[in-house]
Amino acid sequence: MSRPRLFFRHWRNRLSLLLILGYVFVAITAPYLSPDDPKNPSPFMRVGRAFESRPLPPDDKAVLGMLPRGIDVYHALVWGSRDALQFGLIVAISTALFGVVYGAASGYAGGRVGGFMLRVADSFLAFPPIAGVVFLQQLFAVTITAMGGIYYTSDILGRVVEIRGPATIIQVLFENVNPLMLSLILFSWMPYARLIHSIVITLKQTGFVQAARALGGGSSWVIRKHLLPNSLGPAVVLAARDVGGVVLLQATLTFINIGGDSVWGTMLAQGRNWILGPGGSLLTYWWVFIPPTLAVMLFGIAWNLLGDGINDLLDPHT
Amino acid sequence: MPPLLQFVIRRFMSIPVSLLVITMVLYGGVMLTPPEARATLYMPDNLPPRLTDQQYANIEEKIIRLHHLRDPFPVQYYFWVKTLFDGKWGYSPSLNEYVLPSLLRRTPATLELAVYSLLLLIPLGLVSGVTAGWKRSGSFDRGFRALAFLGTSIPPFILAIVLLSIFYINLSWFFPGRLDLAYTLEISAGNFIPYTGMMTVDALLNGRTDILDNAFRHLAMPAFTLSIYHWATLGRVTRVSMLGEKRKEYVTAAKARGLVERKIVWKHVFRNILTPSLTSMALSATSIVTGVFVSEIIYDIDGISGVIVRAMSGIPDAPAALGFAMYSVIMTLLLTFFLDVTQAILDPRVREGVLKT
């Protein structure tokens, strides 16, 4: 059976592709599905009264109801999928690229150099991403305050960066880089590197790679032509799962207010006091809790399913 | 020297190497900031409340000269590492105390949560993975796969909200925080001797079963939230290695000799799949540590994560952030070490020194 047909045979794979295509569609057509307020473009569009502290139920102004302070749930939901896709894809692709290149280089080098490179990667494995986020954000903050600017985060305004004086390169960098994204890229490429390293080490012993080298192939040519194509499969599986994983982590860190600016996470954080209604019911103010929760969970499920599907496809036993 | 001891020593020696690399990366990050920003790492704790800009600049300049903050990286790194051994790790303005004592005081709460979660998830993950893999596509396998899938797809804070709604507000079985207010007050009154700082252990040592019960009721939800994800991951890895292992010839041979199935699985196959499973756990140590902190923050436990909660919600606080990063790296390294040693003890090949790892 051909590979695509094998892939589409399972309902789980079809569901995952359907969900992902759905998110991509919503992300691309967001300006048409829910036009931004031209005066103040933001995922958090105000349709109700700013001083309204209660979340209002759905009506004709807001299809899915409002969060406290009159913020439209539907608008944030739609624009949140664009934000989540961007964040997940950028992080997963950059980590995968860096890790794969690093692993291929260290595996190909082998010997003492390769061992040293692997040692460095292993040391990075001891760095929890949550510590990285906090560390980077505080670095940004002290730098900008030391130069006379303002840097803080708040529930309502998000990340506030105000730079005084002439902007240096470092300042511009700090203003535009998302600390969570940077820290996830810096501290989660190691699984790829280890994976590719071990595959390349094994492949190096096989006949066809030795033949390619005997033909006089340069090292970068051998890596590109023979080693990478044969070791990319597992890396793709990891990357697919990572897209969902980092978005879940982003939403979690946003909700607990440790950096991160996930739109869906912020929605839940803003409605924090209304999620549990009277008697602990999650359904009294369902429009505060259910839409962003479903969006986050289905996003994670879709990418996890895709990863599993590709994994089964590559596994010769199935 | 017995091979196991040799392994433990060699494994322990790799911790300083990792620490060296990580501290160099951390301080490399700090080096990107201007010297004035780096000076906040060394600010004294008794800064007068009202300072003019000029006075502050003078103090800053003094610190910069005292700690060689304009020198090249190796010199600065050397002097920074030296200050790590003073047992203070800098004064944090948002905690209003030195960073290391604050971290150490908060450690027991975090340790307690981590230990109970690991004790819960490792055996459960191994057992469910083995059982699911042995009878592939059986009803247990299908149930396990669905649950494990759900476990890896639910973000912890959403699971926490649902759990709080059911077990805290509706049923009042389990609670957030560390102890009921009544017990907290009783402990601060002084009749209860905090030997270790871990509530469950202290309650036992003081012979207070009511506090023990209460402490477990407060631990249940955070430990469950933390465990479910890693239980699912560990179970999946174990299941996959089980699928590969049970095709091997020695299993067929054991079956042919008429051994009881339970004996084949737990005496023969289980030993062989322990290594890949525990290795995968060790590789996700950072994710476990992150999970511990997230769980603490969601359930309002004042553990180590309390440091960053305060540091993130106020004035810029570099010492707290750097100290927290260092401390969580050390925690992760120790956790990985512990998991590797456990695996070595259980794996006869490492124990007898046949396999070089």
Side-chain angles (χ1 to χ4, degrees), chain B residues 324-353:
Chain B
F324 174 78
M326 281 291 300
Y327 203 75
S328 44
V329 167
I330 294 173
M331 269 176 67
T332 318
L333 285 174
L334 288 179
L335 176 62
T336 324
F337 172 73
F338 166 75
L339 287 171
D340 278 352
V341 170
T342 315
Q343 177 204 322
I345 291 171
L346 293 174
D347 189 338
R349 284 170 300 182
V350 179
R351 201 169 53 210
E352 302 300 330

PDB file of all heavy atoms in Angstrom, chain B residues 324-353:
ATOM      1  N   PHE B 324      17.475  31.298  40.910  1.00  0.00           N
ATOM      2  CA  PHE B 324      16.477  30.282  40.615  1.00  0.00           C
ATOM      3  C   PHE B 324      16.946  29.386  39.482  1.00  0.00           C
ATOM      4  O   PHE B 324      16.808  28.154  39.540  1.00  0.00           O
ATOM      5  CB  PHE B 324      15.148  30.951  40.242  1.00  0.00           C
ATOM      6  CG  PHE B 324      14.099  29.989  39.789  1.00  0.00           C
ATOM      7  CD1 PHE B 324      13.407  29.235  40.702  1.00  0.00           C
ATOM      8  CD2 PHE B 324      13.823  29.842  38.449  1.00  0.00           C
ATOM      9  CE1 PHE B 324      12.452  28.337  40.286  1.00  0.00           C
ATOM     10  CE2 PHE B 324      12.869  28.951  38.019  1.00  0.00           C
ATOM     11  CZ  PHE B 324      12.179  28.194  38.945  1.00  0.00           C
ATOM     12  N   ALA B 325      17.529  29.992  38.437  1.00  0.00           N
ATOM     13  CA  ALA B 325      18.015  29.194  37.311  1.00  0.00           C
ATOM     14  C   ALA B 325      19.099  28.225  37.775  1.00  0.00           C
ATOM     15  O   ALA B 325      19.054  27.027  37.473  1.00  0.00           O
ATOM     16  CB  ALA B 325      18.547  30.105  36.207  1.00  0.00           C
ATOM     17  N   MET B 326      20.063  28.728  38.554  1.00  0.00           N
ATOM     18  CA  MET B 326      21.143  27.871  39.062  1.00  0.00           C
ATOM     19  C   MET B 326      20.563  26.729  39.891  1.00  0.00           C
ATOM     20  O   MET B 326      20.955  25.574  39.748  1.00  0.00           O
ATOM     21  CB  MET B 326      22.076  28.696  39.962  1.00  0.00           C
ATOM     22  CG  MET B 326      23.063  29.567  39.263  1.00  0.00           C
ATOM     23  SD  MET B 326      24.304  28.596  38.450  1.00  0.00           S
ATOM     24  CE  MET B 326      24.992  27.716  39.849  1.00  0.00           C
ATOM     25  N   TYR B 327      19.639  27.085  40.772  1.00  0.00           N
ATOM     26  CA  TYR B 327      19.105  26.089  41.696  1.00  0.00           C
ATOM     27  C   TYR B 327      18.314  25.021  40.951  1.00  0.00           C
ATOM     28  O   TYR B 327      18.421  23.835  41.262  1.00  0.00           O
ATOM     29  CB  TYR B 327      18.212  26.793  42.717  1.00  0.00           C
ATOM     30  CG  TYR B 327      18.056  26.032  44.004  1.00  0.00           C
ATOM     31  CD1 TYR B 327      19.083  26.005  44.925  1.00  0.00           C
ATOM     32  CD2 TYR B 327      16.885  25.349  44.286  1.00  0.00           C
ATOM     33  CE1 TYR B 327      18.947  25.304  46.104  1.00  0.00           C
ATOM     34  CE2 TYR B 327      16.747  24.644  45.465  1.00  0.00           C
ATOM     35  CZ  TYR B 327      17.784  24.626  46.375  1.00  0.00           C
ATOM     36  OH  TYR B 327      17.652  23.936  47.550  1.00  0.00           O
ATOM     37  N   SER B 328      17.541  25.434  39.947  1.00  0.00           N
ATOM     38  CA  SER B 328      16.751  24.409  39.256  1.00  0.00           C
ATOM     39  C   SER B 328      17.645  23.537  38.386  1.00  0.00           C
ATOM     40  O   SER B 328      17.338  22.367  38.176  1.00  0.00           O
ATOM     41  CB  SER B 328      15.614  25.029  38.443  1.00  0.00           C
ATOM     42  OG  SER B 328      16.051  26.133  37.735  1.00  0.00           O
ATOM     43  N   VAL B 329      18.772  24.094  37.902  1.00  0.00           N
ATOM     44  CA  VAL B 329      19.719  23.253  37.169  1.00  0.00           C
ATOM     45  C   VAL B 329      20.302  22.192  38.103  1.00  0.00           C
ATOM     46  O   VAL B 329      20.378  21.007  37.754  1.00  0.00           O
ATOM     47  CB  VAL B 329      20.842  24.110  36.559  1.00  0.00           C
ATOM     48  CG1 VAL B 329      21.980  23.241  36.093  1.00  0.00           C
ATOM     49  CG2 VAL B 329      20.307  24.921  35.405  1.00  0.00           C
ATOM     50  N   ILE B 330      20.673  22.615  39.312  1.00  0.00           N
ATOM     51  CA  ILE B 330      21.235  21.655  40.263  1.00  0.00           C
ATOM     52  C   ILE B 330      20.196  20.581  40.597  1.00  0.00           C
ATOM     53  O   ILE B 330      20.491  19.393  40.650  1.00  0.00           O
ATOM     54  CB  ILE B 330      21.704  22.381  41.538  1.00  0.00           C
ATOM     55  CG1 ILE B 330      22.883  23.292  41.182  1.00  0.00           C
ATOM     56  CG2 ILE B 330      22.125  21.397  42.612  1.00  0.00           C
ATOM     57  CD1 ILE B 330      23.336  24.180  42.301  1.00  0.00           C
ATOM     58  N   MET B 331      18.939  21.018  40.791  1.00  0.00           N
ATOM     59  CA  MET B 331      17.870  20.051  41.064  1.00  0.00           C
ATOM     60  C   MET B 331      17.738  19.045  39.947  1.00  0.00           C
ATOM     61  O   MET B 331      17.614  17.828  40.176  1.00  0.00           O
ATOM     62  CB  MET B 331      16.535  20.791  41.199  1.00  0.00           C
ATOM     63  CG  MET B 331      16.189  21.212  42.593  1.00  0.00           C
ATOM     64  SD  MET B 331      14.669  22.154  42.575  1.00  0.00           S
ATOM     65  CE  MET B 331      13.481  20.912  42.101  1.00  0.00           C
ATOM     66  N   THR B 332      17.756  19.538  38.702  1.00  0.00           N
ATOM     67  CA  THR B 332      17.602  18.635  37.563  1.00  0.00           C
ATOM     68  C   THR B 332      18.761  17.655  37.497  1.00  0.00           C
ATOM     69  O   THR B 332      18.560  16.462  37.251  1.00  0.00           O
ATOM     70  CB  THR B 332      17.549  19.441  36.259  1.00  0.00           C
ATOM     71  OG1 THR B 332      16.743  20.577  36.466  1.00  0.00           O
ATOM     72  CG2 THR B 332      17.006  18.620  35.148  1.00  0.00           C
ATOM     73  N   LEU B 333      19.984  18.157  37.711  1.00  0.00           N
ATOM     74  CA  LEU B 333      21.149  17.272  37.648  1.00  0.00           C
ATOM     75  C   LEU B 333      21.049  16.177  38.706  1.00  0.00           C
ATOM     76  O   LEU B 333      21.334  15.010  38.434  1.00  0.00           O
ATOM     77  CB  LEU B 333      22.425  18.088  37.857  1.00  0.00           C
ATOM     78  CG  LEU B 333      22.854  18.936  36.659  1.00  0.00           C
ATOM     79  CD1 LEU B 333      24.036  19.801  37.020  1.00  0.00           C
ATOM     80  CD2 LEU B 333      23.201  18.034  35.490  1.00  0.00           C
ATOM     81  N   LEU B 334      20.614  16.551  39.907  1.00  0.00           N
ATOM     82  CA  LEU B 334      20.495  15.548  40.966  1.00  0.00           C
ATOM     83  C   LEU B 334      19.402  14.538  40.631  1.00  0.00           C
ATOM     84  O   LEU B 334      19.556  13.340  40.871  1.00  0.00           O
ATOM     85  CB  LEU B 334      20.199  16.223  42.309  1.00  0.00           C
ATOM     86  CG  LEU B 334      21.385  16.978  42.909  1.00  0.00           C
ATOM     87  CD1 LEU B 334      20.990  17.630  44.216  1.00  0.00           C
ATOM     88  CD2 LEU B 334      22.558  16.038  43.128  1.00  0.00           C
ATOM     89  N   LEU B 335      18.303  15.026  40.061  1.00  0.00           N
ATOM     90  CA  LEU B 335      17.216  14.125  39.700  1.00  0.00           C
ATOM     91  C   LEU B 335      17.677  13.128  38.634  1.00  0.00           C
ATOM     92  O   LEU B 335      17.414  11.923  38.735  1.00  0.00           O
ATOM     93  CB  LEU B 335      16.014  14.936  39.185  1.00  0.00           C
ATOM     94  CG  LEU B 335      14.822  14.141  38.671  1.00  0.00           C
ATOM     95  CD1 LEU B 335      14.236  13.295  39.775  1.00  0.00           C
ATOM     96  CD2 LEU B 335      13.762  15.066  38.108  1.00  0.00           C
ATOM     97  N   THR B 336      18.401  13.623  37.622  1.00  0.00           N
ATOM     98  CA  THR B 336      18.917  12.737  36.577  1.00  0.00           C
ATOM     99  C   THR B 336      19.873  11.714  37.179  1.00  0.00           C
ATOM    100  O   THR B 336      19.823  10.527  36.846  1.00  0.00           O
ATOM    101  CB  THR B 336      19.671  13.545  35.511  1.00  0.00           C
ATOM    102  OG1 THR B 336      19.019  14.785  35.344  1.00  0.00           O
ATOM    103  CG2 THR B 336      19.705  12.816  34.217  1.00  0.00           C
ATOM    104  N   PHE B 337      20.734  12.189  38.070  1.00  0.00           N
ATOM    105  CA  PHE B 337      21.683  11.302  38.739  1.00  0.00           C
ATOM    106  C   PHE B 337      20.941  10.208  39.489  1.00  0.00           C
ATOM    107  O   PHE B 337      21.247   9.012  39.360  1.00  0.00           O
ATOM    108  CB  PHE B 337      22.539  12.126  39.700  1.00  0.00           C
ATOM    109  CG  PHE B 337      23.423  11.308  40.590  1.00  0.00           C
ATOM    110  CD1 PHE B 337      24.542  10.683  40.074  1.00  0.00           C
ATOM    111  CD2 PHE B 337      23.143  11.163  41.933  1.00  0.00           C
ATOM    112  CE1 PHE B 337      25.357   9.924  40.882  1.00  0.00           C
ATOM    113  CE2 PHE B 337      23.953  10.403  42.750  1.00  0.00           C
ATOM    114  CZ  PHE B 337      25.060   9.784  42.223  1.00  0.00           C
ATOM    115  N   PHE B 338      19.933  10.603  40.228  1.00  0.00           N
ATOM    116  CA  PHE B 338      19.155   9.653  41.017  1.00  0.00           C
ATOM    117  C   PHE B 338      18.491   8.601  40.115  1.00  0.00           C
ATOM    118  O   PHE B 338      18.530   7.401  40.385  1.00  0.00           O
ATOM    119  CB  PHE B 338      18.113  10.441  41.812  1.00  0.00           C
ATOM    120  CG  PHE B 338      17.034   9.617  42.413  1.00  0.00           C
ATOM    121  CD1 PHE B 338      17.269   8.843  43.528  1.00  0.00           C
ATOM    122  CD2 PHE B 338      15.764   9.612  41.847  1.00  0.00           C
ATOM    123  CE1 PHE B 338      16.270   8.078  44.077  1.00  0.00           C
ATOM    124  CE2 PHE B 338      14.760   8.849  42.392  1.00  0.00           C
ATOM    125  CZ  PHE B 338      15.018   8.076  43.514  1.00  0.00           C
ATOM    126  N   LEU B 339      17.919   9.057  38.990  1.00  0.00           N
ATOM    127  CA  LEU B 339      17.248   8.119  38.092  1.00  0.00           C
ATOM    128  C   LEU B 339      18.252   7.167  37.449  1.00  0.00           C
ATOM    129  O   LEU B 339      17.991   5.967  37.295  1.00  0.00           O
ATOM    130  CB  LEU B 339      16.477   8.879  37.010  1.00  0.00           C
ATOM    131  CG  LEU B 339      15.211   9.571  37.485  1.00  0.00           C
ATOM    132  CD1 LEU B 339      14.642  10.459  36.401  1.00  0.00           C
ATOM    133  CD2 LEU B 339      14.168   8.558  37.914  1.00  0.00           C
ATOM    134  N   ASP B 340      19.430   7.697  37.072  1.00  0.00           N
ATOM    135  CA  ASP B 340      20.448   6.845  36.461  1.00  0.00           C
ATOM    136  C   ASP B 340      20.940   5.785  37.431  1.00  0.00           C
ATOM    137  O   ASP B 340      21.166   4.632  37.048  1.00  0.00           O
ATOM    138  CB  ASP B 340      21.632   7.703  35.990  1.00  0.00           C
ATOM    139  CG  ASP B 340      21.363   8.329  34.639  1.00  0.00           C
ATOM    140  OD1 ASP B 340      20.338   7.966  34.035  1.00  0.00           O
ATOM    141  OD2 ASP B 340      22.155   9.170  34.188  1.00  0.00           O
ATOM    142  N   VAL B 341      21.112   6.188  38.690  1.00  0.00           N
ATOM    143  CA  VAL B 341      21.597   5.229  39.679  1.00  0.00           C
ATOM    144  C   VAL B 341      20.544   4.152  39.939  1.00  0.00           C
ATOM    145  O   VAL B 341      20.864   2.969  40.043  1.00  0.00           O
ATOM    146  CB  VAL B 341      21.999   5.959  40.973  1.00  0.00           C
ATOM    147  CG1 VAL B 341      22.257   4.971  42.084  1.00  0.00           C
ATOM    148  CG2 VAL B 341      23.240   6.792  40.733  1.00  0.00           C
ATOM    149  N   THR B 342      19.268   4.581  40.010  1.00  0.00           N
ATOM    150  CA  THR B 342      18.202   3.602  40.184  1.00  0.00           C
ATOM    151  C   THR B 342      18.245   2.572  39.074  1.00  0.00           C
ATOM    152  O   THR B 342      18.146   1.357  39.307  1.00  0.00           O
ATOM    153  CB  THR B 342      16.820   4.297  40.141  1.00  0.00           C
ATOM    154  OG1 THR B 342      16.882   5.451  40.937  1.00  0.00           O
ATOM    155  CG2 THR B 342      15.738   3.369  40.607  1.00  0.00           C
ATOM    156  N   GLN B 343      18.406   3.078  37.863  1.00  0.00           N
ATOM    157  CA  GLN B 343      18.446   2.184  36.714  1.00  0.00           C
ATOM    158  C   GLN B 343      19.638   1.239  36.813  1.00  0.00           C
ATOM    159  O   GLN B 343      19.531   0.038  36.542  1.00  0.00           O
ATOM    160  CB  GLN B 343      18.542   3.025  35.450  1.00  0.00           C
ATOM    161  CG  GLN B 343      18.656   2.232  34.197  1.00  0.00           C
ATOM    162  CD  GLN B 343      19.305   3.061  33.118  1.00  0.00           C
ATOM    163  OE1 GLN B 343      19.043   4.256  33.012  1.00  0.00           O
ATOM    164  NE2 GLN B 343      20.159   2.440  32.340  1.00  0.00           N
ATOM    165  N   ALA B 344      20.798   1.754  37.257  1.00  0.00           N
ATOM    166  CA  ALA B 344      21.997   0.922  37.373  1.00  0.00           C
ATOM    167  C   ALA B 344      21.795  -0.164  38.417  1.00  0.00           C
ATOM    168  O   ALA B 344      22.218  -1.310  38.238  1.00  0.00           O
ATOM    169  CB  ALA B 344      23.196   1.788  37.735  1.00  0.00           C
ATOM    170  N   ILE B 345      21.102   0.201  39.522  1.00  0.00           N
ATOM    171  CA  ILE B 345      20.880  -0.798  40.569  1.00  0.00           C
ATOM    172  C   ILE B 345      19.982  -1.916  40.044  1.00  0.00           C
ATOM    173  O   ILE B 345      20.186  -3.093  40.341  1.00  0.00           O
ATOM    174  CB  ILE B 345      20.242  -0.130  41.809  1.00  0.00           C
ATOM    175  CG1 ILE B 345      21.268   0.791  42.467  1.00  0.00           C
ATOM    176  CG2 ILE B 345      19.754  -1.162  42.796  1.00  0.00           C
ATOM    177  CD1 ILE B 345      20.708   1.660  43.551  1.00  0.00           C
ATOM    178  N   LEU B 346      18.996  -1.530  39.220  1.00  0.00           N
ATOM    179  CA  LEU B 346      18.036  -2.528  38.739  1.00  0.00           C
ATOM    180  C   LEU B 346      18.565  -3.316  37.547  1.00  0.00           C
ATOM    181  O   LEU B 346      18.110  -4.416  37.286  1.00  0.00           O
ATOM    182  CB  LEU B 346      16.724  -1.835  38.354  1.00  0.00           C
ATOM    183  CG  LEU B 346      15.968  -1.222  39.517  1.00  0.00           C
ATOM    184  CD1 LEU B 346      14.774  -0.432  39.023  1.00  0.00           C
ATOM    185  CD2 LEU B 346      15.515  -2.300  40.483  1.00  0.00           C
ATOM    186  N   ASP B 347      19.527  -2.748  36.822  1.00  0.00           N
ATOM    187  CA  ASP B 347      20.003  -3.409  35.608  1.00  0.00           C
ATOM    188  C   ASP B 347      21.213  -4.283  35.931  1.00  0.00           C
ATOM    189  O   ASP B 347      22.275  -3.765  36.276  1.00  0.00           O
ATOM    190  CB  ASP B 347      20.387  -2.346  34.570  1.00  0.00           C
ATOM    191  CG  ASP B 347      20.676  -2.970  33.219  1.00  0.00           C
ATOM    192  OD1 ASP B 347      20.988  -4.175  33.183  1.00  0.00           O
ATOM    193  OD2 ASP B 347      20.600  -2.257  32.207  1.00  0.00           O
ATOM    194  N   PRO B 348      21.077  -5.591  35.823  1.00  0.00           N
ATOM    195  CA  PRO B 348      22.197  -6.471  36.188  1.00  0.00           C
ATOM    196  C   PRO B 348      23.444  -6.239  35.338  1.00  0.00           C
ATOM    197  O   PRO B 348      24.559  -6.440  35.814  1.00  0.00           O
ATOM    198  CB  PRO B 348      21.633  -7.874  35.967  1.00  0.00           C
ATOM    199  CG  PRO B 348      20.419  -7.704  35.144  1.00  0.00           C
ATOM    200  CD  PRO B 348      19.899  -6.340  35.400  1.00  0.00           C
ATOM    201  N   ARG B 349      23.251  -5.795  34.093  1.00  0.00           N
ATOM    202  CA  ARG B 349      24.421  -5.617  33.234  1.00  0.00           C
ATOM    203  C   ARG B 349      25.315  -4.497  33.752  1.00  0.00           C
ATOM    204  O   ARG B 349      26.532  -4.584  33.750  1.00  0.00           O
ATOM    205  CB  ARG B 349      23.982  -5.304  31.801  1.00  0.00           C
ATOM    206  CG  ARG B 349      23.479  -6.522  31.075  1.00  0.00           C
ATOM    207  CD  ARG B 349      22.833  -6.129  29.772  1.00  0.00           C
ATOM    208  NE  ARG B 349      21.699  -5.227  30.004  1.00  0.00           N
ATOM    209  CZ  ARG B 349      20.939  -4.759  29.027  1.00  0.00           C
ATOM    210  NH1 ARG B 349      21.187  -5.067  27.788  1.00  0.00           N
ATOM    211  NH2 ARG B 349      19.929  -3.974  29.297  1.00  0.00           N
ATOM    212  N   VAL B 350      24.680  -3.395  34.210  1.00  0.00           N
ATOM    213  CA  VAL B 350      25.472  -2.302  34.769  1.00  0.00           C
ATOM    214  C   VAL B 350      26.040  -2.721  36.119  1.00  0.00           C
ATOM    215  O   VAL B 350      27.191  -2.443  36.455  1.00  0.00           O
ATOM    216  CB  VAL B 350      24.613  -1.031  34.914  1.00  0.00           C
ATOM    217  CG1 VAL B 350      25.431   0.090  35.514  1.00  0.00           C
ATOM    218  CG2 VAL B 350      24.061  -0.619  33.575  1.00  0.00           C
ATOM    219  N   ARG B 351      25.190  -3.435  36.901  1.00  0.00           N
ATOM    220  CA  ARG B 351      25.585  -3.818  38.251  1.00  0.00           C
ATOM    221  C   ARG B 351      26.836  -4.688  38.227  1.00  0.00           C
ATOM    222  O   ARG B 351      27.732  -4.560  39.033  1.00  0.00           O
ATOM    223  CB  ARG B 351      24.425  -4.560  38.911  1.00  0.00           C
ATOM    224  CG  ARG B 351      24.485  -4.567  40.409  1.00  0.00           C
ATOM    225  CD  ARG B 351      23.183  -5.066  40.981  1.00  0.00           C
ATOM    226  NE  ARG B 351      22.806  -6.353  40.400  1.00  0.00           N
ATOM    227  CZ  ARG B 351      21.550  -6.742  40.243  1.00  0.00           C
ATOM    228  NH1 ARG B 351      20.570  -5.959  40.581  1.00  0.00           N
ATOM    229  NH2 ARG B 351      21.273  -7.915  39.728  1.00  0.00           N
ATOM    230  N   GLU B 352      26.885  -5.598  37.256  1.00  0.00           N
ATOM    231  CA  GLU B 352      28.026  -6.505  37.197  1.00  0.00           C
ATOM    232  C   GLU B 352      29.168  -5.938  36.362  1.00  0.00           C
ATOM    233  O   GLU B 352      30.187  -6.588  36.183  1.00  0.00           O
ATOM    234  CB  GLU B 352      27.588  -7.866  36.618  1.00  0.00           C
ATOM    235  CG  GLU B 352      26.469  -8.540  37.398  1.00  0.00           C
ATOM    236  CD  GLU B 352      26.868  -8.818  38.843  1.00  0.00           C
ATOM    237  OE1 GLU B 352      28.065  -9.030  39.094  1.00  0.00           O
ATOM    238  OE2 GLU B 352      25.979  -8.796  39.707  1.00  0.00           O
ATOM    239  N   GLY B 353      28.976  -4.756  35.799  1.00  0.00           N
ATOM    240  CA  GLY B 353      30.067  -4.133  35.067  1.00  0.00           C
ATOM    241  C   GLY B 353      30.280  -4.714  33.685  1.00  0.00           C
ATOM    242  O   GLY B 353      31.334  -4.532  33.086  1.00  0.00           O
TER     243      GLY B 353
END
